[in-house]
Amino acid sequence: MKPISDVVQTTPPSGIRKFFDIVSQMQDVISLGVGEPDFDTPWRISESCIFSLERGRTHYTSNFGTPELRKAISDYWQEREGLEYNWENQILITVGVSEAMDIAMRAILNPGDEIICPEPCYVSYKPCITFAGGVAVAIPSYMEDEFRVTPDLIRAAITKKTKAILISYPCNPTGATANREMLQEIVDIAKEHDLWIISDEIYDRMTYDGKHICIPTLTGAYDRTIFMNGFSKAYAMTGWRIGYACGSAEVIEAMMKIHQYTILCAPIMGQVAAVEAMKNGYADSEAMIEEYGRRRRVIVKGLNHAGLKCVMPGGAFYAFPSVKDTGLTCDEFSERLLYEEKVAVVPGNAFGECGEGHIRCSYATSIEKIEIAMERIARFISKLKV
Amino acid sequence: MDKQQILKILERDARTSPKQIAVMLGEEEENVAAAIAQMEKNGVIRHYKTIIDWEKAGKEQVFVFIDVRVSPSRGVGFDDVAERIYRYPEVHSVYLVSGDYDLRVVIEGKNMKDVAFFVAEKLSTLEGVLSTKSSFLLKKYKSDGDMFVDVAAEERLAITP
């Protein structure tokens, strides 16, 4: 048989995969490695889907998604941020933000085009860019800057081939949030060089200190931004796989073309449930977000107490402490912690080279479990010192 | 300090210490302890109790929900009739409600005979009580926000991006 494609062969498997295989064979592990809410989907949302299934709503929808859901999303952003997205041609419902990211790349990239991608970042950004024939240009960010990317580094990375800047705040894995000045500067750079901005704001509601800055609301950003969001995090709906992209009619039409030929439409069951989330799910999601806010303080205090330097993350549900003082690499730390104390975390280098020396600890798990995990980490570190 | 936040945490787990609450809310421990003490004093926090699944603990008990129609008269209002009822220790709860009946009473007893006796002898014969309608509890699914059925084990994958 002739070989698998070069691009796929040379793309490394996700660094998360290895740990998953180890953890699944162990007992009594407390996992801080989970990138999804521990809450079940609020019942009103699940129940609305059951009701619609009983009525036989099991067919294809429009390629763009159901009008009902697109209208609900349009109204939501109009009310929340004053953003005007025409539901008929500026909103595309996708299979999670993951699909939106994939087709956005394919819609805008020609072979060899570059996308500037601040790291540490979500594991699938770079592969998405590569699979679409593009080149990911990684820009590091560090704990000293609270994991906010420096606009000057972006400016320095721009070449003639640069097509877009990819931004995602609040950030998975660091929990970093951005401030208005910094984001406006990035938008200004994009404007100056006529670049697209791809903004994944899936964790927007999980902003604990101050207000989330929504990129398309910034001066000069609306026309050039492909704005992505979804239901997985705020409404605990990961398995439903419903996300969406908003942007100019031109780019949404281009993305729709790929979506039409590859996916056809996002599953109708998830779309029905998402409408209920938009219309009546706000209070349920607020209660979950409040709980994340409390856990965030517990985990940061616990990590600092154990001797790991950790900045207070402003958003998402991850803490990203440094393990450099232990003298171990993040891989060694994570592996030994798992075998010796049965706590699973994700090594920071899974999210980019500059994530080396850090671990991602998700606090999408109960406070009781977080407290036990912190005791175990503290014990692990004290043993290292002996 | 947001006292409602403290109450929400205690409502879910009354054993959460002021120290733990202080961490969760980013406050000082002594301020949290003082706020709790004040709320205990002024009756916002009435008391702390434990949610027990008595059935699992092997205790025989029956509950009956009784809707009571009351005829208030001059000088003897709903409150007075309700008080005559809620002073009995076997009365678990009493509510004044809208609709066809006026009071909803929940009685706890050792067995059906026990409860039937109370309704026939004590409740129905009270002055002002016109009629009652009793419904025995057969199975408790959820009470005061707590599920009394075993929930399925977590299905999340242990590590996800």
Side-chain angles (χ1 to χ4, degrees):
Chain A
M1 197 83 76
K2 293 197 175 181
I4 302 289
S5 96
D6 294 345
V7 175
V8 174
Q9 282 205 61
T10 51
T11 303
S14 169
I16 279 177
R17 181 80 217 176
K18 184 178 76 185
F19 271 83
F20 176 72
D21 291 339
I22 306 174
V23 176
S24 3
Q25 292 177 15
M26 290 177 69
Q27 300 268 306
D28 306 319
V29 172
I30 294 184
S31 182
L32 304 178
V34 192
E36 65 168 321
D38 54 318
F39 300 104
D40 289 334
T41 303
W43 178 245
R44 75 179 72 250
I45 296 173
S46 300
E47 201 274 339
S48 72
C49 171
I50 296 168
F51 181 76
S52 81
L53 280 175
E54 285 170 345
R55 264 142 203 80
R57 288 195 73 185
T58 57
H59 299 276
Y60 289 136
T61 72
S62 147
N63 295 132
F64 282 102
T66 65
E68 209 184 358
L69 179 56
R70 285 182 282 146
K71 282 177 190 168
I73 291 168
S74 176
D75 291 347
Y76 177 86
W77 287 107
Q78 164 68 46
E79 194 181 316
R80 198 170 163 79
E81 296 283 355
L83 282 167
E84 298 270 359
Y85 286 115
N86 184 338
W87 71 269
E88 285 180 284
N89 58 7
Q90 289 192 276
I91 297 173
L92 176 67
I93 309 300
T94 56
V95 181
V97 170
S98 296
E99 191 222 343
M101 189 58 71
D102 173 35
I103 59 178
M105 299 303 176
R106 291 200 268 162
I108 64 169
L109 290 177
N110 286 316
D113 283 350
E114 295 173 358
I115 293 198
I116 292 175
C117 183
E119 285 186 339
C121 69
Y122 186 59
V123 294
S124 66
Y125 294 163
K126 279 167 85 174
C128 270
I129 296 169
T130 314
F131 292 152
V135 177
V137 178
I139 305 284
S141 57
Y142 300 102
M143 192 159 84
E144 297 74 55
D145 306 313
E146 296 182 330
F147 296 107
R148 290 174 176 155
V149 67
T150 314
D152 282 341
L153 289 181
I154 292 181
R155 199 176 273 117
I158 289 175
T159 72
K160 278 185 183 155
K161 289 191 166 175
T162 307
K163 198 76 174 263
I165 304 170
L166 171 52
I167 317 176
S168 178
Y169 292 104
C171 171
N172 173 7
T174 63
T177 51
N179 58 42
R180 183 177 290 276
E181 295 67 36
M182 156 200 162
L183 290 177
Q184 185 64 59
E185 200 175 337
I186 294 172
V187 171
D188 292 344
I189 295 170
K191 201 173 165 193
E192 188 188 330
H193 297 274
D194 202 21
L195 307 175
W196 292 96
I197 297 168
I198 299 170
S199 185
D200 173 358
E201 301 184 28
I202 185 76
Y203 289 99
D204 67 332
R205 293 274 309 283
M206 284 144 210
T207 298
Y208 308 106
D209 308 316
K211 185 184 173 298
H212 171 74
I213 308 294
C214 179
I215 295 207
T217 63
L218 296 172
T219 311
Y222 179 84
D223 289 332
R224 60 183 66 252
T225 301
I226 307 174
F227 167 53
M228 298 172 185
N229 210 317
F231 298 86
S232 295
K233 312 298 173 174
Y235 300 95
M237 289 178 68
T238 44
W240 299 84
R241 307 308 305 125
I242 300 295
Y244 54 90
C246 307
S248 66
E250 183 200 6
V251 79
I252 292 299
E253 175 68 24
M255 288 169 66
M256 193 278 287
K257 214 187 267 180
I258 305 169
H259 176 78
Q260 174 177 66
Y261 287 128
T262 52
I263 302 286
L264 212 159
C265 69
I268 186 170
M269 293 79 85
Q271 295 194 53
V272 168
V275 169
E276 178 65 17
M278 283 262 109
K279 288 188 172 160
N280 300 310
Y282 198 81
D284 284 330
S285 76
E286 279 295 294
M288 294 189 271
I289 292 162
E290 253 183 24
E291 174 66 14
Y292 293 131
R294 293 191 279 265
R295 294 171 180 179
R296 173 182 71 131
R297 293 201 176 92
V298 173
I299 201 166
V300 171
K301 178 121 185 185
L303 290 166
N304 284 330
H305 182 73
L308 299 181
K309 284 198 190 85
C310 180
V311 291
M312 181 65 80
F317 40 59
Y318 308 102
F320 203 62
S322 166
V323 297
K324 287 173 189 163
D325 289 348
T326 64
L328 300 178
T329 66
C330 60
D331 279 326
E332 290 165 347
F333 185 96
S334 307
E335 210 166 316
R336 286 185 57 182
L337 178 66
L338 179 57
Y339 283 122
E340 293 174 30
E341 289 291 347
K342 294 190 172 182
V343 176
V345 298
V346 180
N349 60 11
F351 307 94
E353 269 173 42
C354 63
E356 177 54 56
H358 292 265
I359 53 170
R360 188 192 73 173
C361 303
S362 161
Y363 48 90
T365 197
S366 70
I367 285 196
E368 292 75 15
K369 284 187 184 168
I370 291 172
E371 282 173 343
I372 298 169
M374 292 305 113
E375 285 166 19
R376 293 186 185 179
I377 290 177
R379 190 165 58 204
F380 174 69
I381 290 171
S382 65
K383 276 191 293 185
L384 286 178
K385 285 176 185 161
V386 180
Chain B
M1 188 178 339
D2 191 345
K3 288 183 182 169
Q4 301 256 346
Q5 291 284 346
I6 298 177
L7 293 171
K8 278 187 196 173
I9 293 167
L10 286 175
E11 189 182 31
R12 204 185 54 183
D13 182 357
R15 297 205 303 176
T16 317
S17 69
K19 189 177 172 186
Q20 288 170 306
I21 296 173
V23 174
M24 291 179 203
L25 302 181
E27 302 280 355
E28 293 300 321
E29 183 183 345
E30 55 266 34
N31 296 345
V32 171
I36 292 172
Q38 196 210 346
M39 289 190 286
E40 285 169 351
K41 201 174 159 198
N42 65 21
V44 170
I45 296 174
R46 299 192 72 88
H47 61 265
Y48 302 93
K49 51 194 266 189
T50 308
I51 314 289
I52 297 169
D53 190 336
W54 280 112
E55 200 183 313
K56 226 174 215 173
K59 186 186 175 194
E60 291 284 324
Q61 58 175 177
V62 286
F63 282 94
V64 62
F65 298 89
I66 306 166
D67 289 329
V68 182
R69 197 148 7 146
V70 173
S71 162
S73 56
R74 186 180 286 255
V76 187
F78 287 120
D79 290 354
D80 300 290
V81 179
E83 187 181 354
R84 294 285 291 272
I85 297 172
Y86 67 60
R87 281 173 168 271
Y88 285 101
E90 48 269 74
V91 173
H92 190 267
S93 39
V94 180
Y95 308 100
L96 178 65
V97 295
S98 64
D100 289 346
Y101 289 83
D102 304 302
L103 297 175
R104 169 153 295 182
V105 178
V106 182
I107 310 282
E108 183 189 344
K110 284 194 289 290
N111 50 45
M112 234 187 248
K113 199 174 141 198
D114 202 34
V115 174
F117 175 80
F118 180 81
V119 176
E121 295 292 316
K122 304 291 182 193
L123 196 61
S124 311
T125 56
L126 272 183
E127 196 183 338
V129 169
L130 293 177
S131 66
T132 62
K133 188 184 84 175
S134 305
S135 318
F136 278 88
L137 183 148
L138 302 178
K139 183 172 180 181
K140 183 148 68 171
Y141 297 101
K142 187 177 183 182
S143 176
D144 292 334
D146 280 292
M147 304 275 194
F148 278 73
V149 287
D150 292 328
V151 288
E154 193 175 305
E155 274 189 16
R156 288 193 305 168
L157 301 175
I159 305 268
T160 50

